[in-house]
């Protein structure tokens, strides 16, 4: 009867479906001297697990002491604020300030520029029509020849 229960527990153990108390039952059974003949093949697993559980390291680890990093974070924050403030200040103070005379000259320049663009557009329309005249001349010459 016990052998059947142990087989069921082994199947659940290998499926990963056992509780800690069931695993303890398996370890107690297989670390005991009385193991059924058909279950002897599983005994080395649980004997090795018990041995691994009892292993202790004698090696001493020396970890370097670390200093708190809060002071560096604080300085990074201050540096970032200064960079942003410098950028905003540079942008604000680099804006050109024009006198009234310069503003009037710029307005006049913009008006002249618009007038020249209008003249250029009309001139381009006129040259397009001249291509039709040139084509008319060639066609006329072919007809009268």
């Amino acid at each position: 009867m016990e052998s059947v229960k142990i087989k069921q527990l082994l199947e659940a153990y290998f499926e990963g479906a056992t509780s800690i108390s069931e695993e303890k039952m398996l370890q107690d059974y297989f670390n005991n001297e009385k193991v059924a003949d058909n279950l002897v093949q599983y005994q080395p697993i649980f004997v090795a697990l018990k041995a691994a559980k009892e292993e202790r390291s004698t090696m001493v680890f020396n970890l370097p002491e670390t200093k708190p990093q809060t002071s560096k974070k604080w300085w990074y924050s201050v540096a970032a604020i200064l960079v942003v403030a410098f950028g905003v200040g540079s942008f604000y103070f680099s804006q050109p300030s024009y006198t009234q005379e310069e503003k009037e000259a710029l307005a006049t320049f913009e008006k002249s520029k618009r007038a020249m663009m209008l003249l250029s557009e009309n001139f381009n329309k006129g040259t397009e029509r001249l291509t039709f005249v040139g084509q008319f001349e060639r066609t006329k010459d072919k007809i009268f020849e």
Side-chain angles (χ1 to χ4, degrees):
M1 178 70 178
E2 188 174 312
S3 176
V4 173
K5 185 177 179 183
I6 294 297
K7 278 187 178 182
Q8 290 174 345
L9 282 175
L10 274 173
E11 287 178 21
Y13 179 77
F14 290 124
E15 296 277 328
T18 55
S19 66
I20 294 180
S21 61
E22 292 172 335
E23 289 178 17
K24 183 156 177 38
M25 283 176 51
L26 284 172
Q27 286 179 355
D28 291 342
Y29 178 78
F30 284 107
N31 287 321
N32 203 353
E33 299 274 332
K34 300 174 187 172
V35 178
D37 291 337
N38 60 344
L39 299 175
V40 173
Q41 62 187 358
Y42 299 110
Q43 190 173 14
I45 296 171
F46 291 97
V47 170
L49 286 174
K50 183 178 180 185
K53 191 176 187 181
E54 293 173 357
E55 269 185 20
R56 299 287 180 248
S57 175
T58 58
M59 187 172 182
V60 178
F61 295 97
N62 294 325
L63 299 175
E65 292 185 29
T66 58
K67 296 179 182 177
Q69 298 293 327
T70 56
S71 62
K72 284 186 180 179
K73 290 180 183 177
W74 185 78
W75 280 108
Y76 291 148
S77 308
V78 170
I81 290 171
L82 288 174
V83 166
V84 169
F86 181 74
V88 170
S90 297
F91 178 75
Y92 179 73
F93 289 116
S94 69
Q95 296 294 322
S97 57
Y98 297 116
T99 62
Q100 186 62 29
E101 187 177 308
E102 290 173 330
K103 289 179 184 175
E104 288 173 6
L106 281 174
T108 307
F109 173 73
E110 288 298 323
K111 285 181 185 177
S112 301
K113 191 167 128 181
R114 275 187 264 135
M116 290 292 187
M117 288 300 291
L118 182 63
L119 181 67
S120 173
E121 287 173 8
N122 288 331
F123 183 73
N124 288 337
K125 286 179 187 176
T127 57
E128 287 175 5
R129 290 185 183 148
L130 285 178
T131 58
F132 293 125
V133 171
Q135 190 175 15
F136 177 75
E137 286 289 325
R138 282 191 299 260
T139 308
K140 183 185 78 162
D141 289 342
K142 286 181 184 177
I143 292 173
F144 290 122
E145 281 182 359

